Amino acid sequence: MTEESKEVKSLNFLEEIIETDLREGKNGGRVLTRFPPEPNGYLHLGHAKSICLNFGLAKQYNGQTNLRFDDTNPVTEETEYVDSIKADINWLGFQWASERYASDYFPQLFQFAKKLIQAGLAYVDDSSAEEIAAQKGTPTEPGTESPYRNRSVEENLDLFERMKAGEFPDGSRVLRAKVDMASPNMHMRDPLLYRIKHAHHHRTGDEWCIYPMYDFAHGQSDSIEEITHSICTLEFIPHRPLYDWLIEKLEIFPSHQYEFARLNLTYTVMSKRKLLKLVNEGHVSGWDDPRMPTLSGVRRRGYTPEAIRDFCERIGVAKRDNLIDIGYLEFFVREHLNKIAARVMVVLDPDPIKVVITNYPEGQTESLSIENNPENPEDGSRLVPFSREILVERDDFMENPPKKFFRLAPGNLVRLKGAYIIRCDEVVKDADGKVTELRCSYVPESKSGEDTSGLKVQGTIHWVNAADAVPVEVRLYDRLFKVEDLSEAEGDFQDYLNPDSLSVVQAFAEPAVASIKGPYQFLRKGYFSLDTDSTDQKLVFNRTVGLKDSWAKDQKKK
RNA sequence: UGACCGAUGGUGUAAUGGUAACACAGGAGAUUUUGGUUCUCUUAUUCAGGGUUCGAAUCCUUGUCGGUCAACCA
């Protein structure tokens, strides 16, 4: 045994629970988790945490994970969502053992309900929604019993069958568990088990007009599938006594529920309800708008599954509320993209400055070989055209530069990335004093890779050959909201939307962009991805995340 | 004025009665044909009071603060 050579890795509380169960031989050493989305919206980064946990834990302990759609509310659920959810999970890199639907269990659930009725533990209640709400009492006051609470088993059975048969209109009756109206736990005050909804279900069609509530579907589905560890978020803690009560009374497989703190990120919202609202009110272009924290959104933006998985692993899991800096996620995105992104030069400026290299022969063009990724030489190199006239960003020139400005300025030497060292000799302006052209001279023996000039320059800038510059559209994204903590913000969350979360800029790219597939690093600018809006006529790029920019940070401080 | 859950650097997460650590962020420097990357160094932490103990972030107790729960949603 190499026990002592093993690194002591600390366990999170879920790993501890599982290891204890395994040690005690619970469930015969079997670990089966489930990921249980409701198909009423797109998956977001909060779900990513849950997916990584459920699938990750199972994998870690030689177990498996079921994908189960919690489709018990036909009015909000759609097949479109089912498809997107499956695509997102696969994209994240996980495979489920079995694809299940709570709706598959409707017949079984109906039998469970009858069993409860027969045991005198459930009853049909004719009270209205308002009356039931009033009966529930408040967190500080006990509830009162429904006048229908003590119907006979026979009457309950008859009524429940007739509910199923469609004899009653929506809202006229419900099936309730008979637990304890005085319980300090609101969820134990005779919770609703079934309600009448004459609605078309995305899978069962019009077969049913009564549908089980979450509390009578989720735990029972877990049990039917013999899920060993049912992992959910903190707000379900008060449901756990009911979860256990139903399993005990039904005498079915004892799945167990464990709760962790959901993911919250700065400058964004993470609830399907709010995200739906952003989509419906047109604040974003859709569920996959690159500013959205949905998986389809961040995918389109250029985040990688690897980065998201690393992030989820690194943030850990615990039971205390948290608000994680969105910058932490961005760190993992940069870390991964730095290793794989193809470097290209793009002048990110609709109004670039033309640089004329006065001592370079007119009409001559040469091809320079530039590495695609200095982090990974195996990625090879590409050819980049260079000639007498090139384009550079206006930000890379200053007529009266501050100390430590290493870019173009009158008399300054800079290296053109992958090309030559140039000196700015003359600034040409128009009648308004706007700089229209820089006249520079190049040092022929400073060619990249074969530099014999002996010159040392402090700055290197990117550029594109004027004659070959490809006009492209680049979409720059900023945080979706103006405030860090939306949970602290008063009023409507839409009031805090950042009006500058999207800016579109026309830019000029080196010709190679058209033939290289992303992800890209636009040199000195950031990581970018090709957007799905691209056409043969026009390439559209999304800024995934910017590069760290210590120069800009320093400037800001001043 | 109930029940339940929680409280460790700026943000997350460890330390499971025995030297409070790791990542990010912040700061300083080195390297660099990306003001990127990489490397080195560095600032900063146990909610409060009481108790148990040789020894407490950890156990007990009281309090404080934060969160959750009163959908025919999940």
Side-chain angles (χ1 to χ4, degrees):
Chain A
M1 290 298 269
T2 54
E3 202 80 2
E4 60 278 353
S5 68
K6 243 188 262 171
E7 198 178 324
V8 193
K9 193 208 166 264
S10 63
L11 303 177
N12 65 49
F13 78 102
L14 292 170
E15 291 168 330
E16 281 186 5
I17 288 165
I18 293 174
E19 292 202 2
T20 301
D21 289 348
L22 256 21
R23 208 178 305 120
E24 294 173 352
K26 221 165 162 182
N27 302 311
R30 192 173 56 88
V31 174
L32 213 215
T33 59
R34 105 267 89 115
F35 176 62
E38 182 187 11
N40 68 344
Y42 281 64
L43 260 26
H44 53 61
L45 290 164
H47 293 109
K49 177 178 180 180
S50 175
I51 291 168
C52 288
L53 271 175
N54 277 299
F55 285 87
L57 248 13
K59 189 174 182 184
Q60 192 177 335
Y61 294 102
N62 298 310
Q64 292 187 312
T65 305
N66 286 350
L67 167 60
R68 182 173 70 236
F69 291 96
D70 232 334
D71 55 351
T72 57
N73 184 4
V75 300
T76 57
E77 296 155 4
E78 293 173 28
T79 305
E80 173 201 350
Y81 296 126
V82 170
D83 297 338
S84 76
I85 287 166
K86 287 161 68 175
D88 285 346
I89 297 169
N90 283 146
W91 175 73
L92 253 194
F94 296 102
Q95 291 81 39
W96 47 89
S98 181
E99 179 180 332
R100 308 293 185 99
Y101 294 80
S103 54
D104 290 343
Y105 309 138
F106 283 171
Q108 173 82 76
L109 262 14
F110 184 74
Q111 294 306 318
F112 283 162
K114 290 208 290 191
K115 182 171 179 179
L116 281 185
I117 292 172
Q118 271 153 350
L121 294 170
Y123 61 95
V124 172
D125 195 334
D126 302 359
S127 305
S128 68
E130 296 71 31
E131 286 165 338
I132 289 176
Q135 289 161 18
K136 291 246 174 175
T138 71
T140 55
E141 292 164 300
T144 51
E145 295 186 354
S146 165
Y148 303 96
R149 196 172 200 258
N150 295 310
R151 289 217 250 230
S152 69
V153 168
E154 292 67 33
E155 188 182 6
N156 280 320
L157 240 24
D158 174 62
L159 253 14
F160 188 50
E161 287 285 2
R162 289 165 61 194
M163 279 170 63
K164 176 182 183 257
E167 290 188 27
F168 310 120
D170 287 6
S172 59
R173 285 184 167 84
V174 293
L175 183 73
R176 285 228 252 175
K178 192 191 281 191
V179 191
D180 178 9
M181 290 307 290
S183 171
N185 181 341
M186 300 291 293
H187 296 276
M188 298 299 269
R189 320 242 265 226
D190 288 11
L192 274 60
L193 267 23
Y194 266 92
R195 76 287 217 191
I196 301 171
K197 269 183 198 282
H198 291 271
H200 189 82
H201 186 278
H202 75 116
R203 299 195 93 227
T204 59
D206 299 314
E207 190 182 343
W208 294 85
C209 65
I210 57 170
Y211 292 93
M213 299 288 290
Y214 167 84
D215 285 309
F216 199 65
H218 199 108
Q220 287 52 54
S221 300
D222 285 344
S223 188
I224 290 167
E225 295 173 21
E226 302 200 343
I227 298 297
T228 58
H229 302 266
S230 182
I231 300 166
C232 62
T233 47
L234 253 30
E235 64 269 29
F236 291 98
I237 289 177
H239 293 252
R240 178 156 28 99
L242 179 56
Y243 182 104
D244 292 338
W245 186 90
L246 286 167
I247 282 177
E248 183 201 324
K249 300 303 181 195
L250 257 12
E251 302 174 293
I252 53 181
F253 180 84
S255 295
H256 287 279
Q257 173 184 307
Y258 305 94
E259 311 87 7
F260 70 95
R262 66 169 352 120
L263 168 66
N264 295 297
L265 285 174
T266 56
Y267 299 104
T268 193
V269 292
M270 204 85 83
S271 93
K272 277 193 279 190
R273 203 197 98 246
K274 288 177 180 170
L275 295 174
L276 211 210
K277 205 160 184 180
L278 292 178
V279 172
N280 286 342
E281 293 180 1
H283 296 114
V284 294
S285 63
W287 284 102
D288 68 344
D289 187 299
R291 293 166 293 180
M292 291 280 272
T294 51
L295 295 184
S296 50
V298 299
R299 172 170 64 231
R300 181 169 171 187
R301 180 155 171 167
Y303 285 23
T304 63
E306 290 88 338
I308 294 170
R309 279 189 255 121
D310 286 349
F311 169 72
C312 288
E313 186 169 326
R314 208 66 188 76
I315 57 174
V317 57
K319 299 190 73 159
R320 69 187 89 116
D321 292 328
N322 59 79
L323 178 62
I324 294 173
D325 192 332
I326 188 83
Y328 201 32
L329 209 208
E330 292 175 340
F331 164 80
F332 292 98
V333 174
R334 287 194 190 96
E335 182 180 58
H336 185 224
L337 257 16
N338 178 50
K339 290 183 200 138
I340 63 168
R343 271 60 172 174
V344 291
M345 293 196 287
V346 177
V347 171
L348 220 52
D349 189 341
D351 183 29
I353 302 185
K354 182 164 77 173
V355 170
V356 179
I357 297 158
T358 52
N359 59 339
Y360 195 88
E362 271 183 70
Q364 179 177 315
T365 299
E366 64 183 300
S367 277
L368 302 167
S369 174
I370 303 183
E371 76 247 323
N372 287 326
N373 187 351
E375 301 296 318
N376 188 12
E378 288 173 12
D379 286 352
S381 58
R382 67 191 185 283
L383 262 17
V384 181
F386 178 81
S387 69
R388 195 168 191 267
E389 293 191 0
I390 60 171
L391 267 22
V392 302
E393 287 177 18
R394 206 158 275 276
D395 280 351
D396 283 338
F397 170 77
M398 277 185 101
E399 193 164 17
N400 299 297
K403 205 90 186 119
K404 291 198 173 170
F405 181 81
F406 300 146
R407 284 112 95 149
L408 274 172
N412 256 20
L413 288 174
V414 297
R415 154 82 56 188
L416 295 175
K417 172 67 187 179
Y420 300 91
I421 291 172
I422 60 171
R423 169 184 280 108
C424 178
D425 303 315
E426 190 188 343
V427 180
V428 182
K429 299 178 185 174
D430 65 13
D432 300 326
K434 181 185 167 188
V435 176
T436 56
E437 182 180 317
L438 299 176
R439 299 186 71 79
C440 302
S441 48
Y442 86 116
V443 182
E445 54 280 7
S446 68
K447 183 171 178 176
S448 191
E450 41 200 85
D451 187 348
T452 55
S453 72
L455 292 171
K456 281 265 189 282
V457 295
Q458 302 215 75
T460 299
I461 64 171
H462 63 287
W463 51 276
V464 296
N465 195 36
D468 308 289
V470 181
V472 298
E473 177 178 316
V474 179
R475 298 173 182 171
L476 306 176
Y477 303 104
D478 198 353
R479 33 197 55 144
L480 229 199
F481 290 91
K482 291 181 286 190
V483 295
E484 190 170 81
D485 187 353
L486 270 297
S487 72
E488 292 289 299
E490 291 181 15
D492 289 345
F493 73 98
Q494 302 103 298
D495 295 346
Y496 299 92
L497 278 161
N498 176 9
D500 305 315
S501 59
L502 166 65
S503 55
V504 179
V505 7
Q506 303 304 317
F508 299 91
E510 66 170 272
V513 277
S515 52
I516 297 175
K517 61 178 193 308
Y520 312 88
Q521 184 197 103
F522 290 0
L523 228 60
R524 301 208 302 141
K525 290 284 142 182
Y527 297 99
F528 292 80
S529 65
L530 224 210
D531 190 76
T532 46
D533 283 347
S534 295
T535 64
D536 290 343
Q537 282 71 42
K538 187 173 206 181
L539 296 178
V540 178
F541 297 93
N542 296 311
R543 181 171 64 192
T544 307
V545 63
L547 251 26
K548 278 214 280 185
D549 190 345
S550 51
W551 167 252
K553 199 166 68 180
D554 274 7
Q555 294 303 295
K556 226 172 169 179
K557 269 191 282 185
K558 285 167 188 166

